[in-house]
Amino acid sequence: MADVSHTSYLPPILTFCAGAVIAVPLFRRLGQSAVLGYLAAGIVIGPSALAVIQDPATIRGTAEIGVVLLLFLVGLELQPARLYSMRKDILGAGLSQMTLSALAIGAAGWFLGLSLGGSVTVGLALALSATSIALQLLEERGDGNEPYGRRTFSILLFQDISIAPMLALLPLLATTGQEKGGAMQALGGLGVAFVAIALIVLAGRYALNPFFRVLAKTGAKEVMTAAALLIVLGAALLMEHVGLSMAMGAFLAGVLLADSHFRHELEADIEPFRGVLLGLFFMAVGMSLDLRLVLDNALLLALAAPLLVLFKIAVAASILRASCSSMTEAIRAGALLSPAGEFAFVLLPLGISLGLLDPQKGAVATALAALSMLIGPVVAKLIDGWLLARATPETMEESFEGADAPSVVVIGFGRFGQIVTQALLLQHVDVTVIDSDVERIRSAARFGFKVYYGDGTRLDVLRAAGAGKARVICVCVDDREAALRIAQMAKAEFPAARLHARAYDRIHAIDLMKADVDFQMRETFESALGFGRVTLEAVGLTYDEASLVIDNVRDRDAQRMEIQFSEGLQAALDKVPRVSPEPLVKPRAKSKALTPETREVIEDGGAEVAVGGVGEPER
């Protein structure tokens, strides 16, 4: 039998992984963005350098799924309330920056000999900014909630929204001026596209939430992940079949799910795929950069790349300064917006494939975009350091109403979590609820809280739900092991937040104390004490007398807990009267067994001493 030959996919996969794990940490160590590391790794392993990967086009299709998933996540962030609060910055600064930059860059392209369609393509592509680079720099600085950070995000948000109409515009430009029937064909294609968009909107409005609700009840996490990929990639494929972009379909799917209770679970499920594939996309861009072409056009690119970066800084800074930002903030924001964006590498190849751009000139524009992404973050870092060294406190003063509002993340909305949130609700505290039970999510929605479907033991879900910005994280789940995992993870990842935890019993409470929670409470302890106080009143004590007894019990238990925490459970046996389920004080009378069966049970268990707390048999 003849041997069956096949191509192994392991070598290229190992090559991509090796390039990422070497280049990205190196660039991060140098204080630069991970995107630069991916681009540099792609250049090195691509055909222009080591030629480990000979044909970058073979992986480009797979890598573009990273861009699709990125646009889906952008759509998930477009909640109506958030958009409305930033409407002035989005429609004012965002539209102005995009319009002025695209017109000026397109005019420069026209002057250099590009066609009208090519000038529009290059102008739009290079006017965009790198969302991943800007947001990464803001996250590293911790300036996401600063005024310049919020305005930067607003402009990026407008750019991301504008991607969809850009992707629809270029095919229409390509049909303009065609021979007989071209206009009718364009209109027919546009009609089919509108029908496809309407189908996605209707499905998202009436089918997606019930669909995810049914899947959530199964409790199978991997099915939710598969469903998320099915929705995103299905919408992307539908848009591609009607002549639009896959990214536009993913964007629509994200917008339709922006108000869903399942939004953050979907975001957490998609994020790992998005990160890996987007990194692969940037490596593919680096591999497609023709170093010979760069050398042949070295003078042009050496002049154009810095000019493009400085021009975009000047445009964005001027617009933000005119909108009452301080000069320091305006320049800092402009520097973040200076590199060309990720979608330049989508728009430029699309323009080439549609015949709007000459392949040679398109390659030069692509190289210019890549070079701007290499030097833009460096320029931004230098400008930021220089400005902060010269800035006075007055130039940095500005705040947004509600930016520092207190917030509490409640993980688990069962009986315990519902009671906890009642008090927060009365004081109008900003509360976020995380739960993986569909019915509990519905209950939380009636409270008016932000409610997110998700598994609270997953770090990506906690981050997506805003635990990193919360003042207090309340762990209210009824699973002792899950509560301990969440407490340990939250303490390590979100040290700025106070951590309050629900304890199952005494040993669980001590474990939580060892995890360094700020506050823990056994789930039945205080309710049992209250019950005991009322019972004392029923047998003749006054309220004050009963309260004094209960306070004494509480103090004795606290002393015992401290000894057990610091010296171990056995130490409490020697220093404090017997540990529960034994009494805190020596009884005045001996116990009596009222039946022979009871007597037998007591005698059989007499040799065993449980170590625990009041009324809490240990397991």
Side-chain angles (χ1 to χ4, degrees), residues 76 79 208-209 212 255-264 266 451-453:
L76 282 179
Q79 294 170 296
L208 290 186
N209 271 321
F212 281 114
V255 171
L256 294 172
L257 288 167
D259 284 323
S260 170
H261 296 327
F262 303 98
R263 178 169 71 95
H264 283 270
L266 295 173
V451 288
Y452 300 137
Y453 172 84

Side-chain angles (χ1 to χ4, degrees), residues 159-487:
Q159 292 183 2
D160 290 331
I161 295 171
S162 68
I163 292 297
M166 288 181 193
L167 293 170
L169 173 65
L170 294 188
L172 292 178
L173 281 177
T175 62
T176 303
Q178 285 183 348
E179 295 182 359
K180 187 176 180 179
M184 293 301 296
Q185 184 179 358
L187 290 175
L190 188 61
V192 173
F194 277 124
V195 171
I197 292 172
L199 286 175
I200 293 178
V201 171
L202 290 174
R205 176 68 179 85
Y206 297 106
L208 290 186
N209 271 321
F211 173 63
F212 281 114
R213 194 175 297 119
V214 170
L215 293 180
K217 288 182 178 180
T218 67
K221 303 296 182 184
E222 66 279 3
V223 174
M224 290 291 289
T225 303
L229 291 173
L230 174 65
I231 297 300
V232 177
L233 299 181
L237 187 62
L238 178 61
M239 286 292 99
E240 186 182 41
H241 275 307
V242 299
L244 296 179
S245 164
M246 290 195 300
M248 184 176 179
F251 173 80
L252 283 175
V255 171
L256 294 172
L257 288 167
D259 284 323
S260 170
H261 296 327
F262 303 98
R263 178 169 71 95
H264 283 270
E265 176 75 2
L266 295 173
E267 184 177 354
D269 287 336
I270 291 294
E271 181 63 31
F273 298 98
R274 193 276 309 176
V276 171
L277 291 173
L278 194 60
L280 182 61
F281 173 76
F282 285 121
M283 293 179 74
V285 170
M287 285 185 281
S288 63
L289 184 62
D290 189 344
L291 294 183
R292 182 174 300 175
L293 177 69
V294 172
L295 292 176
D296 292 342
N297 297 273
L299 180 60
L300 173 63
L301 293 172
L303 292 173
L307 284 176
L308 175 65
V309 169
L310 294 176
F311 168 74
K312 292 179 71 176
I313 292 175
V315 170
S318 299
I319 291 170
L320 291 174
R321 184 70 183 96
S323 65
C324 299
S325 292
S326 68
M327 180 59 72
T328 299
E329 289 177 341
I331 296 176
R332 293 182 81 191
L336 291 177
L337 296 166
S338 62
E342 301 88 351
F343 287 98
F345 305 109
V346 175
L347 292 174
L348 291 172
L350 179 61
I352 294 173
S353 66
L354 294 172
L356 296 174
L357 263 177
D358 176 80
Q360 182 76 7
K361 294 177 181 178
V364 173
T366 302
L368 177 58
L371 289 175
S372 74
M373 294 182 76
L374 286 170
I375 68 174
V378 179
V379 173
K381 194 173 185 67
L382 293 174
I383 289 177
D384 192 63
W386 180 73
L387 287 174
L388 290 181
R390 296 170 55 89
T392 60
E394 289 73 20
T395 63
M396 303 298 292
E397 286 182 359
E398 186 173 358
S399 62
F400 285 80
E401 184 178 355
D404 297 324
S407 60
V408 177
V409 172
V410 176
I411 306 168
F413 200 67
R415 293 171 299 155
F416 193 93
Q418 291 169 21
I419 295 172
V420 169
T421 54
Q422 292 285 3
L424 302 175
L425 182 64
L426 287 174
Q427 291 300 310
H428 306 290
V429 176
D430 182 21
V431 176
T432 295
V433 173
I434 303 173
D435 205 299
S436 58
D437 185 278
V438 174
E439 296 304 322
R440 291 177 184 174
I441 287 292
R442 289 176 177 171
S443 299
R446 291 195 290 269
F447 282 66
F449 298 140
K450 298 175 186 174
V451 288
Y452 300 137
Y453 172 84
D455 183 356
T457 62
R458 291 175 51 178
L459 179 59
D460 48 3
V461 170
L462 296 181
R463 283 177 173 160
K469 301 176 183 178
R471 294 181 62 180
V472 184
I473 298 174
C474 296
V475 183
C476 300
V477 297
D478 58 3
D479 184 332
R480 57 193 298 174
E481 297 299 329
L484 187 58
R485 287 200 306 273
I486 295 170

Side-chain angles (χ1 to χ4, degrees), residues 96-111:
S96 300
Q97 183 273 339
M98 191 69 211
T99 303
L100 291 177
S101 298
L103 285 174
I105 296 170
W110 174 268
F111 178 77

